[in-house]
């Protein structure tokens, strides 16, 4: 039986493109449907949340998620990744090293998740199960999802982190999944891994890449337009003392 995006609590953005605002941290997960392939953008904050996303994608696509793009290495975006067994996983430059077993990234993600209120057992399970990221995107790559559907992935950072990946889905309209380079539901968060001096320039690249008429999907909050992204770029430049 065919279901709609809305019946599953998702927001349809364009033909074959939608997103879900997850509870807790109001984090976005995106889904792009092709012919026989499906791309998930970010994976949720736990293995259970990733499994729920995967099941929703299966009901919408009729098959499992085949590709997973992680916009940046923060727990609320990546801890569900192991739920997408068999998916080709993509991340920005140096994300594979961060996620390597025994590397510093897993311990940091676990500590951050517990500090933010994730159940300690769920955080440990997700950190231990964190997937390898075999596809490292430096610059830009294009995924062919079949049926004429393509998704462009680009390493546009550093900014919110040192490893910010965005996803552009051409269509009517074009849809840009921004990760936390853009946030709508609150002021953009600049943690210890942020690169504030280069964040405005990352948003300049995002705007040039997506264009004036695209829908921009923040990592947290409502979908915005180019004017919102431009205003946030200027606010970040003022906040961090970055000249135009």
């Amino acid at each position: 039986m065919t279901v709609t995006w809305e019946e599953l609590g998702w927001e349809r953005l364009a033909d074959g493109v939608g997103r879900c605002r997850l509870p807790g941290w109001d984090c976005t997960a995106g889904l792009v449907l092709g012919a026989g392939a499906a791309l998930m953008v970010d994976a949720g904050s736990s293995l259970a949340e990733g499994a729920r996303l995967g099941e929703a994608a299966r009901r919408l696509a009729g098959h499992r998620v085949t590709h997973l793009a992680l916009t940046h290495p923060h727990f609320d975006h990546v801890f569900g990744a192991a739920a997408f067994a068999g998916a080709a996983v993509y991340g920005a430059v140096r994300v594979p090293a961060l996620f390597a077993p025994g590397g510093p990234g897993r311990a940091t993600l676990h500590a951050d998740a517990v500090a933010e209120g994730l159940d300690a057992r769920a955080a440990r399970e997700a950190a231990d199960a964190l997937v390898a990221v075999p596809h490292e995107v430096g610059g830009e790559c294009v995924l062919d999802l079949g049926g004429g559907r393509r998704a462009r992935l680009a390493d546009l950072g550093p900014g919110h982190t040192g490893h910010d990946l965005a996803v552009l889905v051409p269509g009517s309209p074009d849809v840009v999944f921004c990760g936390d380079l853009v946030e709508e539901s609150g002021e953009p968060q600049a943690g210890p891994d942020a690169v504030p001096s280069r964040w405005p320039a990352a948003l300049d690249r995002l705007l040039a890449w997506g264009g004036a008429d695209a829908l921009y999907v923040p990592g947290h909050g409502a979908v915005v337009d180019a004017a919102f992204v431009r205003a946030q770029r200027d606010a970040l430049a003022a906040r961090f003392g970055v000249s135009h």
Side-chain angles (χ1 to χ4, degrees):
M1 179 177 176
T2 302
V3 298
T4 66
W5 298 91
E6 293 76 16
E7 286 172 333
L8 295 180
W10 287 60
E11 179 183 359
R12 182 184 179 276
L13 303 174
D15 182 35
V17 185
R19 67 88 174 248
C20 179
R21 289 175 71 168
L22 299 168
W25 292 276
D26 191 22
C27 186
T28 281
L31 182 63
V32 185
L33 304 179
L39 166 67
M40 184 69 71
V41 182
D42 284 338
S45 62
S46 67
L47 293 173
E49 197 160 69
R52 289 192 292 271
L53 289 170
E55 174 59 17
R58 186 195 64 77
R59 293 183 67 187
L60 287 162
H63 53 77
R64 68 176 179 84
V65 168
T66 55
H67 300 74
L68 174 63
L70 302 175
T71 62
H72 62 286
H74 284 170
F75 83 91
D76 49 336
H77 297 260
V78 306
F79 259 7
F84 298 92
V89 185
Y90 295 77
V93 169
R94 296 184 300 280
V95 167
L98 282 176
F99 286 8
R106 295 189 183 212
T108 298
L109 286 168
H110 174 265
D112 288 347
V114 173
E116 291 292 331
L118 185 64
D119 174 78
R121 177 176 293 182
R124 173 51 58 199
E125 289 174 347
D128 289 346
L130 197 61
V131 299
V133 182
H135 301 285
E136 187 175 39
V137 180
E140 182 176 332
C141 74
V142 178
L143 303 182
D144 185 348
L145 301 176
R149 171 74 71 197
R150 288 177 171 78
R152 296 168 58 192
L153 280 57
D155 181 352
L156 297 181
H160 175 66
T161 72
H163 325 278
D164 293 306
L165 187 75
V167 178
L168 169 62
V169 186
S172 299
D174 293 347
V175 178
V176 182
F177 292 97
C178 307
D180 286 4
L181 282 172
V182 179
E183 296 191 45
E184 185 276 334
S185 56
E187 185 174 79
Q189 298 300 301
D193 58 344
V195 188
S197 64
R198 299 179 65 181
W199 199 337
L203 291 183
D204 286 336
R205 290 190 289 273
L206 185 72
L207 286 164
W209 195 53
D213 299 322
L215 297 179
Y216 290 84
V217 186
H220 303 263
V223 175
V224 299
D225 59 13
F228 180 96
V229 177
R230 192 172 301 108
Q232 192 158 95
R233 179 252 182 254
D234 292 343
L236 285 168
R239 175 179 166 189
F240 298 124
V242 179
S243 59
H244 286 259

